[in-house]
């Protein structure tokens, strides 16, 4: 295995039972993402890209094949171990933001740190710095409903960064945003990548994918590298 690869997949297969039939969603996929890369995984609905994202994110596990995340073999992990890996290794950014609606931006970002046992003072200090980093220093005490869609997505990016993850995994991160806000979020990803963050972005939109440094297309359960 390449020591530089933060994501290493070899011959990944994933199938689902559909009544009496078996549907193979991923068919012997092999993929490597090096530390510091910005990769878009591009594919239409039903192509297998969401299943691939779930396996990368340790939300689901493959039926067969090898997967190592930041050097950790994922194959034989139980649910608790997978949850711990998700918490420590991956910063998730979702299309629908997934913020806690009753809490301020500051608490939303501090929350995963508090769950890990970080002291309240340290968690809130880090959350403040991250919200300032994403341009929301004036919005620390606003709740999600008091923020625009673009601002909510910035909160979720700050939250994803809070645990210093090995990868940022972004699922259609501009899907709920207008074009101006979407452009600003993509510019932020490019800045974060420039600072050394590894980013894997899942999208069905070729124009979004083109802004990444590398495009991997998923079609009919297989991957194709775009040159």
């Amino acid at each position: 295995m390449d020591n530089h690869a933060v994501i290493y997949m070899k011959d990944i297969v994933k199938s689902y039972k559909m009544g009496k039939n078996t549907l193979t969603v991923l068919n012997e996929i092999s993929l490597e993402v090096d530390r510091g890369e910005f990769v878009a995984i591009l594919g239409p609905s039903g192509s297998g890209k969401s299943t691939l994202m779930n396996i990368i994110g340790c939300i689901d596990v493959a039926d067969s094949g090898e997967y190592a995340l930041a050097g950790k073999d994922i194959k034989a992990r139980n649910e608790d171990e997978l949850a711990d890996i998700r918490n420590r290794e991956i910063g998730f950014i979702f299309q629908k933001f997934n913020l806690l609606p009753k809490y301020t931006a500051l608490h939303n970002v501090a929350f995963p740190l508090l769950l890990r046992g970080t002291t309240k003072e340290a968690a809130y200090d880090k959350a403040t710095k991250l919200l300032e980093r994403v341009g929301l220093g004036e919005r620390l005490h606003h709740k999600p409903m008091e923020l625009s869609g673009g601002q909510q997505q910035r909160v979720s990016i700050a939250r994803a960064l809070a645990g210093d993850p090995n990868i940022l995994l972004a699922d259609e991160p501009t899907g709920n945003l207008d074009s101006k806000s979407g452009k600003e979020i993509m510019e932020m990803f490019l800045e974060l990548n420039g600072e050394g963050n590894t980013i894997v972005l899942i999208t069905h939109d070729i124009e979004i994918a083109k802004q990444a440094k590398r495009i991997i297309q998923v079609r009919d359960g297989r991957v194709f590298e775009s040159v």
Side-chain angles (χ1 to χ4, degrees):
M1 191 184 90
D2 187 341
N3 289 333
H4 295 291
V6 70
I7 293 169
Y8 173 85
M9 292 182 154
K10 189 170 190 303
D11 299 331
I12 291 289
V13 174
K14 183 66 182 179
S15 302
Y16 295 101
K17 288 273 189 235
M18 306 285 284
K20 292 181 179 178
N21 299 319
T22 300
L23 178 66
T24 300
V25 182
L26 298 178
N27 191 358
E28 296 188 345
I29 278 183
S30 294
L31 170 67
E32 289 188 35
V33 175
D34 286 348
R35 200 169 294 281
E37 280 201 279
F38 182 4
V39 176
I41 295 178
L42 174 68
S45 178
S47 61
K49 74 179 187 302
S50 294
T51 301
L52 179 58
M53 184 202 75
N54 287 340
I55 291 173
I56 290 172
C58 301
I59 295 164
D60 202 352
V61 290
D63 299 332
S64 62
E66 298 174 44
Y67 176 33
L69 174 62
K72 296 181 174 70
D73 182 21
I74 301 304
K75 182 84 169 140
R77 305 285 176 159
N78 63 33
E79 276 300 319
D80 287 346
E81 289 170 325
L82 288 173
D84 188 59
I85 289 168
R86 283 196 299 272
N87 187 25
R88 294 185 180 279
E89 304 291 347
I90 304 164
F92 289 96
I93 299 155
F94 297 100
Q95 179 176 344
K96 294 183 178 174
F97 319 133
N98 288 21
L99 299 174
L100 299 165
K102 294 181 180 178
Y103 292 105
T104 62
L106 187 62
H107 187 77
N108 265 282
V109 177
F111 188 66
L113 295 171
L114 295 168
L115 284 179
R116 284 190 191 188
T118 305
T119 66
K120 195 170 180 182
E121 184 181 2
Y124 280 98
D125 182 57
K126 186 166 190 180
T128 300
K129 288 186 172 73
L130 285 167
L131 285 164
E132 288 169 349
R133 164 68 189 83
V134 299
L136 292 178
E138 305 293 310
R139 297 281 191 274
L140 300 180
H141 303 294
H142 287 62
K143 293 178 180 176
M145 288 299 289
E146 299 164 340
L147 301 170
S148 70
Q151 289 169 336
Q152 288 184 63
Q153 194 59 294
R154 287 168 185 263
V155 176
S156 73
I157 290 170
R159 179 184 60 189
L161 290 165
D164 301 312
N166 269 298
I167 64 167
L168 293 174
L169 187 57
D171 180 19
E172 302 279 5
T174 61
N176 273 3
L177 304 178
D178 60 53
S179 56
K180 180 176 179 291
S181 298
K183 185 170 182 287
E184 290 170 356
I185 292 300
M186 290 307 298
E187 286 169 356
M188 178 154 291
F189 281 134
L190 286 165
E191 285 177 24
L192 290 168
N193 179 240
E195 292 168 10
N197 290 282
T198 307
I199 301 172
V200 177
L201 186 152
I202 316 296
T203 185
H204 68 278
D205 185 335
I206 182 66
E207 296 306 318
I208 294 293
K210 280 178 181 173
Q211 295 174 66
K213 306 289 178 66
R214 178 179 160 209
I215 300 175
I216 293 162
Q217 293 194 52
V218 183
R219 292 198 303 272
D220 303 322
R222 294 183 178 275
V223 293
F224 303 87
E225 191 91 17
S226 295
V227 178

